[in-house]
Amino acid sequence: MRYSWRLLRLRSHLRSQLRISSNSSHFQVLSDPNLQSLRSLSSLLHSNPAHGSVSPPISDSHFTNFVKPGYGLARTFSSEPAIEQKESDHAVVSDIFSKSRDADEIRKDLESSSIVVSHDLVLEVLGKLESNPDVAVRFFDWVSGNYGEKLSSKSYNLMLGMLGVNGFVKEFWDLNCDMKKKGYGISKGVRDKVLEKFEEDGFGSEAEKLRDVFASGSIDKSPEKIGSIVCKLIRNKVWGDDVEQQLRDMSVPFSGDMVKMILENLCTEPAKAFIFFCWIGESGMFKHDEQTYNAMARVLGREDSIDRFWKVVDEMRSHGYEMEVETFAKVLGRFCKRRMIEEAVNLYEFAMAGSNKPSVDCLTFLLKKIAVSKHLDLSLFSRTLKVFTEAGNAVTDPMVFAVLKSLSTVGRIGEYNQVLNAMKEYGYVFSDGLKTKVAYQLSSNGKSDEANDFMDNIEASGCDPDNKTWVSMVEGHCVAGDLGKASDCIHKMVEKEGVSSAGYALDLIVNAYSQKKRETDASRLLCDLVDGKQLKPWHSTYKSLINKLLVRGAFKEALKMLESMRNHEFPPFIDPFIAYVSKSGTIDDTIGFLKAMTSKRFPSTSVYLHLFEAFFQAGRHADAQDFLSKCPSYIRNHADVLNLFYSMVKPVEAAAPPNLAS
């Protein structure tokens, strides 16, 4: 069927403007200042119904290299890693054909959206376009010209119903003629719906014609009806000479569509479907084509028919036919769902040897399934990678991350290295992002040996771990609570990378020790790295550790941190020390603090004043006096110090009770 799309669109526009108000819910009168001119144009169009040409068909090859996520594959990842289904392909197609564009634009848009034309997709799109017949006709005609085998009696009836209820009478009968040539008839539902419309619009002759056509019994001659009869015969009887004779006596004009439909309807009885497939091919009544071979393959792609499946697909290829992407995706999903992993790999190798090569998404899906199978079979994993890379493809980060995520989901992080080594063998080069993530995952999950092996593998591959990778590993050990491993790791990091970028890793470890109330261990690690490796901790690391050491009462260790901090020329951090010694420290502690905070002989006068004030605020007046006696003479005689002591002593004397003896 071919229509002049420009004419059809104009007619649709006219009908939307010239709806007749009659008691019908379908039409209404719309006021329009140009109504008369539209009527004139309508008359002109009806008087010149010549059909125009259509755009040349788009080649099948534009679509064969796409396997969409979701075709017959498992739906979830947590328990069954799967290719997730793309959202609303029919909506994308409807939108593409709703826009005015040429064949090349349509082809590019469909390719960019990875759309695979299938029978189900055609039905979905037509259903969505029920209220937009001009776009529906454009889509239907395009499918008819490029993928005619995807159109069934149901597809034709959907389109026929749309034309009838929207007033496209001529186009309705044109399409009906095309249906008759294919052996399709009008369904009862379409007949009833269109009859109602014809009668409402006053098309009595058309309604009578439709009744006659339907009454002629054309529906009984449709491939669906004939196929249903054939299926019923095959199901209900044991195959034998009598069944074969009955099939011959029916004189069925077997077509590719009909044989495909019969095979699909016998999918629950694959043995009988296979017998019928073989018999009809050998009987001379029908010669199998790519469509019927693929239909048979989809039926047989299961564990109880695996030998017959391979017989059919091998024979199909020997005859020059290819496995359709829909067949591959459906059977692959079934194999994986039923844990037939080796057969899934065999199928992938078979498909990669043909012209309809599976997409990268299919490879990722299969690798994930292999990774989470009961036992990780590296030979199957390698076979899959081999056939993929030999076709000129490269292993990428998203593929690797997806496989590792699947391993994590089933609690098999310890097998990361095996998978990564296999991928490395087929050309994968560890990226910086992968190195940091894997190092963290392994170490944070307590896989310290595997983490070390991973770092060794990185070095062996010629791309040494960088600073971020080492930090990730240190952080992972801290999260896992293995602070000994974290300390060993930072020492290795300093040896490999130097001290310039180790400050963050040290800060992580110090905080991890502190959370476990092991501040003294943190101070020993810090001193070891500072004294032995000349590492310079962050200023914030010093301050945090000093505060926590003093809270724990580890005054001597805190003084060591203060001295180290001074040696690194950080500003002196004295407030927590003043608070500590004034409340609970001895005079010797106070003097030790003053010596540690400065490299000079004595600190500034302001420090002494802060200390005296703190002693007084803590109510330790006698200790303040004792401390003053041990201060240098220039402090004892300093005017500000004397004034402070005078101001503190005078209120005490005023508050003392009077001497009654005098």
Side-chain angles (χ1 to χ4, degrees):
M1 178 183 69
R2 291 291 182 270
Y3 303 106
S4 171
W5 301 120
R6 184 176 302 170
L7 177 62
L8 189 55
R9 286 196 297 272
L10 284 171
R11 286 182 179 175
S12 176
H13 176 67
L14 289 172
R15 288 188 175 92
S16 69
Q17 298 296 317
L18 299 173
R19 292 178 180 169
I20 302 171
S21 175
S22 60
N23 298 326
S24 168
S25 61
H26 300 290
F27 295 88
Q28 60 182 5
V29 177
L30 299 178
S31 60
D32 191 322
N34 297 317
L35 188 59
Q36 187 59 43
S37 61
L38 289 173
R39 285 175 177 158
S40 300
L41 181 56
S42 174
S43 176
L44 176 62
L45 291 173
H46 281 287
S47 66
N48 185 20
H51 296 315
S53 60
V54 296
S55 302
I58 297 175
S59 170
D60 250 19
S61 63
H62 295 308
F63 299 93
T64 53
N65 291 327
F66 294 98
V67 175
K68 296 190 301 149
Y71 267 79
L73 305 180
R75 293 190 294 272
T76 59
F77 169 73
S78 59
S79 61
E80 292 291 336
I83 302 175
E84 296 179 358
Q85 184 170 1
K86 284 169 37 179
E87 183 178 356
S88 303
D89 279 353
H90 62 278
V92 175
V93 175
S94 299
D95 182 63
I96 290 172
F97 280 89
S98 295
K99 300 173 183 175
S100 179
R101 60 183 71 230
D102 59 23
D104 287 338
E105 289 177 328
I106 290 173
R107 174 181 56 79
K108 290 177 182 177
D109 282 351
L110 291 171
E111 286 182 354
S112 65
S113 300
S114 300
I115 300 295
V116 175
V117 178
S118 66
H119 175 252
D120 290 340
L121 179 67
V122 172
L123 296 179
E124 289 176 355
V125 173
L126 291 177
K128 183 175 178 64
L129 294 173
E130 187 173 1
S131 61
N132 203 345
D134 54 336
V135 178
V137 173
R138 186 186 313 151
F139 169 72
F140 187 90
D141 189 71
W142 180 85
V143 175
S144 178
N146 295 280
Y147 294 91
E149 72 280 3
K150 307 296 184 185
L151 295 176
S152 64
S153 176
K154 188 173 182 180
S155 309
Y156 274 95
N157 271 283
L158 271 175
M159 190 69 249
L160 193 68
M162 263 188 277
L163 293 173
V165 298
N166 284 282
F168 294 101
V169 178
K170 183 181 184 305
E171 290 79 6
F172 175 87
W173 292 118
D174 287 345
L175 181 59
N176 182 55
C177 288
D178 288 343
M179 291 173 65
K180 286 182 179 180
K181 293 175 185 177
K182 292 181 173 292
Y184 299 151
I186 303 174
S187 71
K188 184 177 183 299
V190 170
R191 180 204 63 174
D192 294 343
K193 184 166 57 174
V194 176
L195 268 178
E196 180 184 357
K197 175 61 181 171
F198 282 173
E199 290 171 348
E200 286 177 352
D201 292 350
F203 299 143
S205 61
E206 303 296 342
E208 190 61 32
K209 180 180 177 181
L210 179 56
R211 289 190 184 92
D212 292 341
V213 169
F214 190 82
S216 67
S218 63
I219 189 65
D220 293 331
K221 298 177 184 178
S222 69
E224 283 85 351
K225 186 65 176 180
I226 297 172
S228 176
I229 295 171
V230 172
C231 289
K232 185 176 181 180
L233 173 64
I234 296 173
R235 282 198 191 97
N236 294 340
K237 294 192 176 183
V238 177
W239 189 276
D241 293 340
D242 59 331
V243 173
E244 294 178 5
Q245 188 58 49
Q246 288 183 60
L247 289 173
R248 289 190 184 95
D249 293 343
M250 290 172 66
S251 300
V252 176
F254 287 108
S255 65
D257 287 340
M258 184 183 294
V259 172
K260 173 189 173 185
M261 182 187 64
I262 293 170
L263 293 173
E264 289 175 345
N265 287 339
L266 291 171
C267 63
T268 57
E269 299 184 66
K272 287 189 174 182
F274 181 68
I275 293 173
F276 169 74
F277 176 86
C278 295
W279 173 79
I280 197 171
E282 295 168 356
S283 67
M285 300 170 65
F286 176 77
K287 182 180 179 181
H288 288 298
D289 56 15
E290 187 169 292
Q291 179 181 206
T292 56
Y293 270 112
N294 274 276
M296 188 72 261
R298 289 194 290 272
V299 172
L300 295 175
R302 43 193 286 173
E303 64 271 29
D304 56 355
S305 304
I306 195 66
D307 292 337
R308 292 167 180 162
F309 169 79
W310 287 115
K311 180 182 183 300
V312 167
V313 297
D314 288 339
E315 183 179 302
M316 174 176 66
R317 180 158 290 173
S318 70
H319 284 83
Y321 302 130
E322 287 295 334
M323 179 177 285
E324 296 172 353
V325 290
E326 185 178 352
T327 301
F328 168 78
K330 186 171 185 177
V331 177
L332 179 70
R334 191 184 299 150
F335 283 171
C336 291
K337 184 177 182 180
R338 300 181 183 182
R339 303 292 193 274
M340 300 167 64
I341 303 302
E342 184 171 2
E343 295 299 342
V345 173
N346 292 337
L347 178 64
Y348 183 77
E349 291 175 329
F350 178 88
M352 287 296 288
S355 59
N356 295 341
K357 298 187 186 304
S359 69
V360 173
D361 287 339
C362 283
L363 170 77
T364 305
F365 169 77
L366 182 54
L367 291 177
K368 287 161 60 177
K369 281 294 188 178
I370 297 171
V372 301
S373 57
K374 187 173 182 180
H375 301 290
L376 175 59
D377 191 328
L378 288 176
S379 64
L380 294 180
F381 199 87
S382 296
R383 277 174 55 191
T384 307
L385 288 171
K386 180 181 180 182
V387 69
F388 176 75
T389 54
E390 285 181 348
N393 303 305
V395 181
T396 62
D397 270 0
M399 294 164 52
V400 179
F401 285 138
V403 174
L404 297 183
K405 182 179 179 181
S406 294
L407 286 172
S408 302
T409 302
V410 294
R412 294 164 67 175
I413 293 175
E415 295 175 348
Y416 272 11
N417 284 323
Q418 299 177 59
V419 167
L420 290 171
N421 288 338
M423 290 182 160
K424 184 176 70 173
E425 183 180 348
Y426 288 97
Y428 177 67
V429 177
F430 297 141
S431 67
D432 290 342
L434 178 126
K435 288 186 287 188
T436 56
K437 289 183 179 180
V438 172
Y440 177 80
Q441 285 290 326
L442 290 173
S443 55
S444 63
N445 283 277
K447 306 293 183 182
S448 56
D449 292 338
E450 289 83 353
N452 290 332
D453 290 342
F454 173 68
M455 301 298 267
D456 293 340
N457 288 338
I458 294 176
E459 293 181 359
S461 65
C463 49
D464 292 340
D466 58 9
N467 172 59
K468 291 182 179 179
T469 305
W470 283 109
V471 170
S472 294
M473 193 167 173
V474 169
E475 184 176 9
H477 285 311
C478 291
V479 170
D482 195 341
L483 302 184
K485 295 291 184 183
S487 300
D488 293 341
C489 188
I490 195 172
H491 278 89
K492 291 181 182 178
M493 175 184 178
V494 170
E495 291 175 5
K496 300 283 186 180
E497 298 290 316
V499 297
S500 59
S501 55
Y504 177 57
L506 177 61
D507 190 68
L508 288 172
I509 300 177
V510 167
N511 287 331
Y513 271 117
S514 298
Q515 289 173 2
K516 290 183 174 292
K517 304 187 184 305
R518 295 174 58 187
E519 291 84 0
T520 54
D521 292 331
S523 67
R524 281 194 290 270
L525 173 64
L526 187 147
C527 291
D528 182 37
L529 290 170
V530 169
D531 297 338
K533 306 295 183 181
Q534 286 73 53
L535 187 150
K536 182 179 180 180
W538 289 356
H539 189 201
S540 58
T541 303
Y542 274 125
K543 292 170 69 175
S544 174
L545 185 55
I546 286 172
N547 271 321
K548 290 171 181 175
L549 284 168
L550 290 175
V551 168
R552 302 291 293 175
F555 181 72
K556 292 182 179 179
E557 288 78 5
L559 282 184
K560 289 181 181 178
M561 295 299 101
L562 183 63
E563 291 175 354
S564 181
M565 193 177 186
R566 182 195 70 201
N567 294 335
H568 283 131
E569 299 180 347
F570 286 122
F573 186 50
I574 63 174
D575 289 344
F577 284 97
I578 292 176
Y580 177 83
V581 297
S582 64
K583 292 179 181 179
S584 57
T586 64
I587 302 304
D588 290 337
D589 289 340
T590 306
I591 294 172
F593 157 64
L594 293 172
K595 290 180 179 179
M597 67 163 290
T598 180
S599 58
K600 299 178 181 179
R601 185 176 180 185
F602 299 109
S604 65
T605 304
S606 62
V607 175
Y608 284 98
L609 285 169
H610 283 314
L611 280 167
F612 290 134
E613 289 172 349
F615 273 106
F616 285 129
Q617 289 174 2
R620 298 177 63 185
H621 295 73
D623 291 326
Q625 292 280 2
D626 190 18
F627 172 48
L628 178 64
S629 67
K630 296 184 179 182
C631 290
S633 59
Y634 79 92
I635 294 296
R636 294 196 305 271
N637 297 322
H638 195 281
D640 291 337
V641 174
L642 294 174
N643 288 335
L644 176 63
F645 271 82
Y646 178 76
S647 65
M648 289 295 141
V649 172
K650 188 173 182 180
V652 172
E653 292 176 348
N659 190 343
L660 299 179
S662 62

